[in-house]
Amino acid sequence: MTDLLDVSTHFRFGQNWADYSKLVDERRIADARHSVESLCGDLTGKTFLDIGSGSGLFSVSALRLGAKEVVAVDIDEDSVATTRKLLTKEGLENWRAERISVFELPDRIHDKFDVVYSWGVLHHTGAMWRAVETAASFVKPGGTFAFSLYEKTPLCGFWTQEKRVYRRLPSPVQTILRWGYHGAWAAALVVTGHNPLRRWREGNERGMSIAHDAHDWLGGYPYESTSPREVVAFMDKLGFDHRQTVPYRIRLGGLFGSGCTEYVFRKREEAAAKPAPKRRTRAKAG
Ligand SMILES: C[S@@+](CC[C@H](N)C(=O)[O-])C[C@H]1O[C@@H](n2cnc3c(N)ncnc32)[C@H](O)[C@@H]1O
């Protein structure tokens, strides 16, 4: 447990979010809002727990979608500060943002939520399945658990080692590597008949930015990945019905990395959870 709270081996996600947050505008909020709505449905009057809030964009979206209360948590103090700043700037009420790891939630938060949302987070904790199980325990019976996890590719082993190295490099070296990655990515897009400039300008459908996503991808450590089959079986044992999977389509065998498959589950009313499958969940030290 102590290892899992030690962020010294983690990529500095929060610094990246602080920088990204300068780009947040109405278009990005609208894209993020659409993404949250498509997974979580109508949030009017619902309570919403945002685990690994990052920039805070999705907490903003939940409140804009009518959530009655949002609790945003993140292990990285810069992410928490950015989340607070964005929620304050947007003039929103009925939220709190705290520096809490998913693993500390049972000791720190005593409510259950209508919706638990954790996008692109639980695979960065050092103990993915334990994180999924802990996050799931905060969903009310009948409530929704929406999350995303990296899709397993043949090259995940390589990318884990790459992240382990990248996160320790001096910033100028990271910048050089990032531009090399962008160059190769742009060349692959041109060869496959796409326009890299258009993709760069548009960002992705969640209101993110390609530049910040690349830094997050190259550095995002700890790192784990999985497949829909494993996730659906695991959630069934926790007492959740599967509602939706939005699969990430692996490109070029994972040469440029992986992406997140999105999942939506509903907690069974009777909460007849069978015990979770036993897994070894030791933290990955750097
Ligand atoms: C890739 S970002 C995703 C942020 C946001 N959910 C989004 O969709 O933009 C992952 C976030 O998870 C946070 N995180 C990593 N480990 C965590 C943990 N154990 N508990 C809570 N947050 C964690 C990181 O600090 C980072 O802000």
Side-chain angles (χ1 to χ4, degrees):
M1 176 69 167
T2 322
D3 284 350
L4 295 175
L5 301 182
D6 175 12
V7 288
S8 64
T9 58
H10 285 220
F11 174 64
R12 298 297 307 268
F13 288 100
Q15 287 180 351
N16 197 35
W17 289 125
D19 195 56
Y20 160 77
S21 70
K22 296 172 197 154
L23 303 179
V24 172
D25 56 12
E26 279 308 315
R27 179 181 70 82
R28 289 184 197 273
I29 294 176
D31 288 350
R33 191 176 145 149
H34 177 72
S35 165
V36 173
E37 195 171 24
S38 71
L39 294 180
C40 305
D42 183 10
L43 290 182
T44 310
K46 297 202 171 149
T47 54
F48 187 94
L49 174 62
D50 184 2
I51 301 176
S53 59
S55 64
L57 182 62
F58 300 92
S59 290
V60 166
S61 302
L63 285 162
R64 291 256 190 115
L65 285 164
K68 79 167 174 204
E69 186 201 356
V70 167
V71 176
V73 299
D74 199 293
I75 199 171
D76 188 312
E77 60 194 359
D78 292 322
S79 294
V80 178
T82 304
T83 296
R84 286 190 183 136
K85 209 165 148 185
L86 193 61
L87 285 157
T88 306
K89 181 172 155 242
E90 292 303 316
L92 294 160
E93 290 173 358
N94 303 320
W95 58 268
R96 64 195 171 103
E98 309 264 358
R99 181 175 184 261
I100 304 177
S101 162
V102 63
F103 302 115
E104 297 174 292
L105 284 171
D107 294 329
R108 304 276 305 272
I109 303 277
H110 303 292
D111 301 316
K112 305 272 181 211
F113 293 80
D114 297 310
V115 178
V116 172
Y117 179 84
S118 191
W119 209 103
V121 175
L122 305 169
H123 48 221
H124 285 313
T125 57
M128 182 175 72
W129 295 109
R130 184 165 153 192
V132 172
E133 187 176 357
T134 308
S137 70
F138 283 85
V139 183
K140 280 184 186 168
T144 298
F145 183 21
F147 59 100
S148 76
L149 295 172
Y150 275 125
E151 189 68 28
K152 202 174 269 176
T153 79
L155 293 176
C156 280
F158 161 78
W159 284 111
T160 307
Q161 297 313 320
E162 177 280 329
K163 290 160 194 291
R164 209 188 268 263
V165 173
Y166 178 95
R167 78 181 198 285
R168 291 180 196 272
L169 295 171
S171 176
V173 182
Q174 289 182 343
T175 305
I176 292 167
L177 287 179
R178 220 159 43 242
W179 282 107
Y181 176 80
H182 285 311
W185 171 80
L189 279 176
V190 171
V191 168
T192 53
H194 299 95
N195 179 348
L197 287 177
R198 216 184 82 201
R199 291 282 273 274
W200 181 276
R201 270 197 307 270
E202 287 176 355
N204 74 19
E205 62 283 358
R206 298 179 69 243
M208 299 285 105
S209 96
I210 302 286
H212 293 87
D213 275 3
H215 187 45
D216 181 292
W217 167 255
L218 292 173
Y221 187 86
Y223 173 80
E224 287 176 78
S225 58
T226 182
S227 66
R229 224 166 61 161
E230 285 185 296
V231 173
V232 172
F234 189 82
M235 294 307 296
D236 178 55
K237 292 202 170 70
L238 293 182
F240 282 76
D241 290 327
H242 178 232
R243 282 284 180 263
Q244 193 186 344
T245 295
V246 184
Y248 171 77
R249 193 169 55 79
I250 298 167
R251 297 171 184 100
L252 301 173
L255 189 62
F256 288 98
S258 184
C260 285
T261 291
E262 299 178 305
Y263 300 95
V264 182
F265 290 89
R266 184 177 168 276
K267 189 167 189 166
R268 291 197 272 275
E269 290 288 351
E270 71 276 20
K274 302 166 209 164
K278 286 246 179 301
R279 283 176 184 271
R280 294 177 62 195
T281 53
R282 281 183 42 228
K284 286 180 183 173

